[in-house]
Amino acid sequence: MDHRKSIQNRLDFIEENLKAQITAAELSERAGYSLFHYYRLFQPAVGMPVMQYILRRRLLHAIYEIHGGRKRIDVILEYGFETYAGFYKAFRREFGCTPSVYLKKRRARRPCKPNLYQEEHMTISHKKASEILAHWNLEKEPVSDIYYEGSGEKADSAFYAGSGFVLKFSADLDKVKKAAALSRLIENAGLQAASPVAAADGGEYVQDSGLFFYVTRRLSGTPLLSHGFFEGDYAAKARFAGEMIGQLHLVLCKVDTCVNDVNLYETVRDWAMPRAKDILPLPEPFRREYLETFGKLYGSLPRQIIHRDPHPGNIIVSQDKWGFIDFELSERNLRIYDPCYAALAVLSECFDVNRRDALDKWLEIYRNIIWGYDSVVKLTAEEKRALPYVVIANQLVCVAWFSGQDKYEDIFETNKRMTQWLISGFDELNI
């Protein structure tokens, strides 16, 4: 039986009454369950006990308001903490760092109301993560959150376990198996990849509370940073990124494993463009020409298994080696999707329509990523013609998907503005 509706109603109630006294007994009574049964339903659906969840939401809202400039003593009293010392202690216990360190690591934004129907991953506490790590005999390793460099966003489905491991989880077992298979194949080909570590029982993953957990080794090196592409010799950095994606594709084109087969043209024509039409001002002449030309080109464009999410943070570089992480989204698609995606990821983290100098520089970054890729994987004439269409396809898919995700409102707005700007300068995307 699906209890999400009942639990979601209680999550909405909690969110609207965070500054009031809320008890588990009150929530269970409102839901029509015994207290014991309510606890049994709540934790598997949300990922933590009900009172810990309420505390976590209060802490997140309080730190957001403190960061916004309100007096901290007023905020913590409103959210039920008697002293700042009590708030500080609870915050450090829940998030594994002090409030000031937390704000330095991540971008402060209003906590989004949880939606069980939109989010694949549940909230996993550090305590729960430590319990899971016991299956790998890593329960003594300190658990810490992962923050993406540049954006400050917290990873929704991964933790660091000490300095050498990463604990990841997903509700989709196929994603877990796909990431494991591809990582092993890439590692066997001589590139760095975060392949899974066997658990104590010899398995690659552990199932718990409807999620599949697995551990990988943490790759040595540092991720590329989007803002770093705009500094120094940006052309050389961009070409290097393009070459790395090309080298990855040389390996992936020889891989034979089960992945989703995606028709990008049909996805845009039948889903993304109709949905984006209500969000973006798509001139009818542009829409007709786009679909007609892209449709004619599509059948001639090379397809293979691609990374699908090669943003700079997923490219790890050290002094003598480099590699990729996060193959959970890999699919069979147009091969030029990946270099286009990488260029757009750089733009999305630095986009400002009023900074023409930065936008002009990004166009050079985009061209050099493509040139670097072309130097390793020779592009066909049809692929070169299709590049602007694949860039826009990528953006239409992003806008359509993010439009239905409340927690990514900022990313949705950025990608909407990006798409409008890219369409207005469509011809500049030609190589």
Side-chain angles (χ1 to χ4, degrees), residues 26-248:
E26 177 187 6
L27 293 172
S28 64
E29 184 178 348
R30 286 176 174 272
Y33 299 116
S34 70
L35 182 59
F36 174 74
H37 189 56
Y38 189 69
Y39 267 106
R40 291 185 63 189
L41 294 178
F42 190 95
Q43 182 161 342
V46 179
M48 59 178 58
V50 58
M51 296 312 295
Q52 182 184 358
Y53 173 81
I54 294 171
L55 172 63
R56 188 180 185 92
R57 297 304 294 175
R58 284 174 171 159
L59 291 168
L60 286 170
H61 279 268
I63 195 66
Y64 171 77
E65 294 189 26
I66 290 171
H67 180 76
R70 291 193 61 202
K71 290 179 63 176
R72 68 184 189 183
I73 189 62
D74 292 340
V75 173
I76 63 173
L77 290 174
E78 286 181 13
Y79 281 100
F81 300 94
E82 295 182 356
T83 64
Y84 183 75
F87 167 79
Y88 180 97
K89 183 177 180 180
F91 194 96
R92 187 163 190 172
R93 184 172 60 245
E94 184 64 27
F95 296 104
C97 64
T98 67
S100 59
V101 169
Y102 178 89
L103 289 174
K104 287 178 182 178
K105 285 183 176 180
R106 66 176 296 166
R107 180 185 301 172
R109 61 168 49 136
R110 183 180 298 279
C112 178
K113 183 186 295 186
N115 187 327
L116 296 179
Y117 293 94
Q118 290 183 355
E119 298 167 10
E120 175 189 357
H121 303 298
M122 297 183 298
T123 302
I124 300 297
S125 68
H126 286 195
K127 180 180 178 182
K128 181 66 175 179
S130 292
E131 293 173 2
I132 296 296
L133 285 167
H135 292 279
W136 284 266
N137 298 320
L138 295 173
E139 64 273 20
K140 294 183 180 180
E141 295 287 344
V143 175
S144 58
D145 294 326
I146 298 174
Y147 294 92
Y148 298 119
E149 296 285 348
S151 69
E153 296 289 339
K154 176 182 173 295
D156 289 332
S157 55
F159 295 103
Y160 287 135
S163 60
F165 300 93
V166 178
L167 173 67
K168 307 185 76 173
F169 49 96
S170 173
D172 188 336
L173 180 57
D174 286 340
K175 283 186 177 180
V176 174
K177 290 181 176 178
K178 176 172 59 180
L182 287 173
S183 296
R184 281 196 304 271
L185 289 166
I186 290 163
E187 195 170 53
N188 290 339
L191 303 183
Q192 278 205 107
S195 56
V197 175
D201 64 1
E204 288 187 339
Y205 62 86
V206 169
Q207 184 175 7
D208 188 288
S209 302
L211 293 176
F212 300 93
F213 295 83
Y214 58 109
V215 169
T216 69
R217 293 196 181 276
R218 189 173 176 180
L219 297 190
S220 60
T222 57
L224 296 181
L225 301 179
S226 290
H227 63 76
F229 280 81
F230 291 86
E231 301 167 356
D233 191 348
Y234 60 89
K237 293 178 183 178
R239 287 181 73 95
F240 177 62
E243 289 175 16
M244 284 195 289
I245 295 171
Q247 294 292 347
L248 174 66

Side-chain angles (χ1 to χ4, degrees), residues 176-338:
V176 174
K177 290 181 176 178
K178 176 172 59 180
L182 287 173
S183 296
R184 281 196 304 271
L185 289 166
I186 290 163
E187 195 170 53
N188 290 339
L191 303 183
Q192 278 205 107
S195 56
V197 175
D201 64 1
E204 288 187 339
Y205 62 86
V206 169
Q207 184 175 7
D208 188 288
S209 302
L211 293 176
F212 300 93
F213 295 83
Y214 58 109
V215 169
T216 69
R217 293 196 181 276
R218 189 173 176 180
L219 297 190
S220 60
T222 57
L224 296 181
L225 301 179
S226 290
H227 63 76
F229 280 81
F230 291 86
E231 301 167 356
D233 191 348
Y234 60 89
K237 293 178 183 178
R239 287 181 73 95
F240 177 62
E243 289 175 16
M244 284 195 289
I245 295 171
Q247 294 292 347
L248 174 66
H249 278 195
L250 291 181
V251 174
L252 290 177
C253 73
K254 301 174 184 177
V255 167
D256 183 18
T257 190
C258 183
V259 296
N260 292 336
D261 198 331
V262 175
N263 185 306
L264 183 61
Y265 175 73
E266 290 181 357
T267 299
V268 170
R269 182 193 64 192
D270 301 337
W271 175 72
M273 187 169 278
R275 187 160 184 170
K277 190 177 180 181
D278 298 328
I279 302 167
L280 294 166
L282 290 175
E284 184 59 23
F286 173 83
R287 189 189 70 82
R288 285 199 308 269
E289 190 281 333
Y290 177 90
L291 289 176
E292 180 180 353
T293 304
F294 192 22
K296 289 178 180 178
L297 285 169
Y298 188 81
S300 64
L301 302 177
R303 304 173 75 256
Q304 65 166 76
I305 294 177
I306 64 170
H307 186 288
R308 177 54 179 79
D309 188 24
H311 65 76
N314 280 339
I315 305 175
I316 310 299
V317 181
S318 62
Q319 283 188 338
D320 58 346
K321 58 182 71 172
W322 52 269
F324 289 80
I325 59 174
D326 293 356
F327 287 89
E328 286 81 358
L329 298 181
S330 289
E331 63 192 21
R332 188 176 301 279
N333 202 332
L334 300 182
R335 66 179 183 179
I336 56 173
Y337 187 99
D338 269 359

